[in-house]
Amino acid sequence: MVDPSESGAVSPGRHRHGPGSGNNGKKTSKKSRTRRSKRGRRRRNKKNNRSNKTPPPPPYFPPEAEEGNIEYKLKLVNPTQYRFEHLATQLKWRLQEGRGEAVYQIGVEDNGLLVGLTEADMKASLKTLKRMAEKVGADITLLREREVDYDSDRNTRKIAEVLVRKVPDDQQFLDLRVAVLGNVDSGKSTLLGVLTQGELDNGRGRARLNLFRHLHEIQTGRTSSISFEILGFNSKGEVVNYSESRTAEEICESSSKMITFIDLAGHHKYLKTTIFGLTSYCPDFAMLVVSANTGIAGTTREHLGLAMALKVPIFIVVSKVDLCSRGTVERTVRQLERVLKQPGCNKVPMVVSNPDDAVTAAQQFTQSACITPIFTLSSVSGESLDLLKVFLNILPPLSNSKEQEELMQQLTEFQVDEIYSVPDVGTVVGGTLYSGVCREGERLVVGPTDEGRFLRLKVGSIQRNRSACRVLRAGQAATLALGSFDRSLLRYGDGQPQDEPDHLLSV
């Protein structure tokens, strides 16, 4: 009699295809062992590849452009007198291209290769750059230093990014206009009050009181008109505002760069006023203020859509972060990121969390229309308020010197947006010079009147940012005193004074 176990028969209670039994079980375990051994070999190969991996290629900037205000310099160590004069002339050209501002990248070759410098060479190069700036009447500000360490055998080297700024000629400072948008009660006026007055808010709106123009605005705490506030930066990048009892004229005299904020209304009832401010005053940028505790609400989407329709570059400030938890702030930021990435916007949100981010955001903001910086701050505690100031200080103008010169060579065209009657001065018009140059005492024509005629007048005086100005250039906003000219002959948004009346009269 044959033993069942020897004949291969299956005894009762055993399963022919049970796990780990029979030929199928052996095959399964053999396959799993093969797979495990292959995975092990792959892991060992990856580990060996990582250990034998060559260092990554050196990082690059885009190649240096002939035009523009950005200059690459490998090093500036002990130049000869002839070389120094050449470098100073080059700096003067870059400052002219940037309308009074230039950015020097030290430790970078002309093709954009980040070579870096040792500490001694970097110190000597910055000293030479300071001498160059002093020769052309400018100051330097070190924006940031970064280590370049792409080869483990070499010592750590650094590159430096330096801002050079001077006061433009004829007392003309660089002026950027920023329209302030956002829903009602989002903290727009309070933020502007903190920036321009230099004092934090008390949590009950004290900082915004100086910005209101009407009694009902003070009583309700809601802006219903367009107001202008100024924030200056001197040649060293320091903030110049009303904190030291300065007048507007003193701020203009001390500043090399001026940020003019156009405070617009947030309530839907005043949407027409907001649209008028966005279209008439030609802002360079728009700042959308969003409350952290309410998120995207009310007119926020409408204001964002208006700025995008008018092709005004926009950055976002999430305010009132002191009123809510960190999770609520992050939820509001995520909500903004979702809206910005939608097909209608196609923006790339960039959350600014440190000074290095602020410098990068300011430079990329004007170079790419897709970048949208997002700041999270508080007007009460002052949290991250300095990051916004760094951003505004470095923010370059949208137009270069060549475009500005072309506008200035055109016929003078000044659009009248506001009309006043000032005692002992007469009729005063406020608006923006779209093209050309306007000077004190210049004879212009204004019109057209209801009959289609143009009337002659003389510009008595010019004021820009509440201080006297002799020359007004294209793109600048100002008020013109017209003396005894009858204000009833003027209309909002129609005035087009021209410095060649014969040409206009023939048109």
Side-chain angles (χ1 to χ4, degrees):
M1 191 172 179
V2 182
D3 187 359
S5 61
E6 295 178 0
S7 65
V10 180
S11 60
R14 285 192 180 182
H15 301 280
R16 182 179 294 274
H17 300 292
S21 63
N23 292 333
N24 288 337
K26 289 179 182 178
K27 286 180 182 178
T28 304
S29 60
K30 194 172 183 180
K31 286 181 181 178
S32 63
R33 282 198 302 272
T34 306
R35 282 197 296 268
R36 282 198 297 270
S37 63
K38 285 183 179 179
R39 282 198 296 267
R41 281 197 299 271
R42 281 199 295 266
R43 287 196 200 101
R44 285 194 296 273
N45 290 336
K46 284 182 181 179
K47 196 171 181 181
N48 293 332
N49 289 337
R50 280 197 297 266
S51 60
N52 299 327
K53 201 172 183 181
T54 57
Y60 279 84
F61 279 162
E64 182 187 70
E66 292 293 331
E67 297 181 348
N69 69 333
I70 299 178
E71 178 71 24
Y72 296 167
K73 286 297 174 192
L74 181 57
K75 60 181 177 180
L76 300 168
V77 180
N78 298 327
T80 62
Q81 185 61 31
Y82 176 78
R83 173 67 175 160
F84 180 80
E85 294 293 336
H86 174 73
L87 291 171
T89 305
Q90 194 178 49
L91 173 59
K92 198 171 183 180
W93 159 256
R94 292 297 185 183
L95 288 170
Q96 184 181 347
E97 283 288 287
R99 294 167 61 185
E101 288 185 351
V103 176
Y104 268 63
Q105 302 280 3
I106 308 296
V108 182
E109 290 186 351
D110 288 345
N111 62 359
L113 175 64
L114 307 187
V115 178
L117 296 178
T118 61
E119 189 173 349
D121 285 348
M122 180 62 72
K123 194 174 291 185
S125 298
L126 292 176
K127 187 177 179 181
T128 303
L129 183 58
K130 187 175 182 180
R131 285 175 50 215
M132 292 161 49
E134 288 173 352
K135 183 172 178 62
V136 299
D139 284 313
I140 68 171
T141 305
L142 181 62
L143 297 179
R144 57 181 172 178
E145 281 187 329
R146 287 185 288 177
E147 291 185 356
V148 180
D149 189 13
Y150 54 84
D151 190 345
S152 57
D153 295 335
R154 295 170 59 181
N155 295 326
T156 301
R157 292 169 170 251
K158 292 182 179 180
I159 64 169
E161 192 167 340
V162 184
L163 175 68
V164 186
R165 177 180 290 162
K166 72 184 292 288
V167 179
D169 300 331
D170 298 328
Q171 298 178 348
Q172 296 289 325
F173 45 79
L174 177 61
D175 189 9
L176 300 180
R177 290 190 295 276
V178 178
V180 185
L181 304 170
N183 188 37
V184 64
D185 298 331
S186 62
K188 300 184 298 296
S189 299
T190 301
L191 176 59
L192 294 191
V194 170
L195 288 172
T196 58
Q197 304 297 324
E199 293 183 3
L200 295 175
D201 188 53
N202 62 350
R204 295 187 294 276
R206 181 182 62 189
R208 67 189 178 192
L209 294 179
N210 293 325
L211 277 66
F212 290 147
R213 301 174 63 182
H214 304 288
L215 179 62
H216 70 268
E217 292 180 332
I218 298 175
Q219 292 171 342
T220 62
R222 293 178 177 176
T223 303
S224 63
S225 60
I226 301 173
S227 63
F228 297 85
E229 296 300 323
I230 56 175
L231 173 68
F233 295 94
N234 62 18
S235 57
K236 296 180 180 179
E238 299 167 345
V239 174
V240 183
N241 54 23
Y242 293 104
S243 60
E244 297 178 2
S245 301
R246 292 187 179 98
T247 62
E249 190 171 357
E250 290 174 344
I251 293 177
C252 293
E253 289 176 355
S254 305
S255 300
S256 298
K257 181 176 186 177
M258 189 74 68
I259 306 293
T260 302
F261 292 105
I262 308 170
D263 190 16
L264 302 175
H267 200 281
H268 65 85
K269 185 165 61 174
Y270 309 115
L271 186 60
K272 184 178 177 181
T273 302
T274 301
I275 296 174
F276 174 77
L278 272 174
T279 53
S280 297
Y281 293 105
C282 302
D284 299 296
F285 307 100
M287 178 172 71
L288 180 66
V289 182
V290 179
S291 178
N293 54 352
T294 59
I296 299 176
T299 56
T300 303
R301 292 179 186 271
E302 286 85 346
H303 287 185
L304 177 62
L306 285 170
M308 293 186 61
L310 295 170
K311 294 186 166 88
V312 181
I314 190 165
F315 62 95
I316 299 176
V317 172
V318 179
S319 64
K320 301 184 181 180
V321 299
D322 57 295
L323 289 181
C324 45
S325 64
R326 196 72 227 166
T328 305
V329 175
E330 291 173 356
R331 186 164 61 249
T332 301
V333 171
R334 286 197 300 270
Q335 186 184 17
L336 286 167
E337 289 175 341
R338 282 197 300 272
V339 171
L340 293 172
K341 290 177 182 178
Q342 285 178 353
C345 294
N346 291 325
K347 298 289 186 181
V348 180
M350 179 181 179
V351 180
V352 178
S353 56
N354 55 57
D356 192 67
D357 289 345
V359 174
T360 305
Q363 293 173 347
Q364 295 185 358
F365 183 47
T366 54
Q367 295 173 2
S368 173
C370 297
I371 300 295
T372 304
I374 300 177
F375 298 84
T376 56
L377 52 81
S378 168
S379 299
V380 176
S381 65
E383 178 185 344
S384 300
L385 202 60
D386 289 338
L387 298 181
L388 181 60
K389 293 177 182 176
V390 169
F391 175 80
L392 294 172
N393 176 39
I394 304 171
L395 195 61
L398 289 175
S399 60
N400 56 30
S401 59
K402 186 177 180 180
E403 294 171 348
Q404 184 74 6
E405 287 293 332
E406 290 175 355
L407 278 176
M408 289 168 57
Q409 289 172 3
Q410 297 176 13
L411 298 175
T412 303
E413 180 179 353
F414 182 90
Q415 177 171 300
V416 177
D417 295 321
E418 294 181 288
I419 307 172
Y420 314 95
S421 292
V422 181
D424 301 326
V425 177
T427 303
V428 175
V429 294
T432 305
L433 187 67
Y434 281 179
S435 60
V437 177
C438 181
R439 295 179 175 85
E440 283 186 356
E442 194 163 8
R443 295 188 178 276
L444 309 171
V445 295
V446 65
T449 61
D450 293 335
E451 294 82 18
R453 296 184 296 114
F454 286 82
L455 306 173
R456 295 177 181 272
L457 53 82
K458 181 180 178 181
V459 178
S461 61
I462 304 173
Q463 281 208 347
R464 183 172 164 226
N465 289 323
R466 302 172 193 155
S467 63
C469 175
R470 295 191 302 271
V471 181
L472 189 65
R473 291 177 169 81
Q476 297 176 348
T479 54
L480 311 179
L482 307 181
S484 58
F485 191 84
D486 187 2
R487 66 168 291 175
S488 63
L489 300 174
L490 297 170
R491 294 186 300 177
Y492 290 97
D494 294 336
Q496 294 179 338
Q498 301 285 342
D499 58 359
E500 292 189 9
D502 293 339
H503 174 72
L504 281 177
L505 288 173
S506 64
V507 172

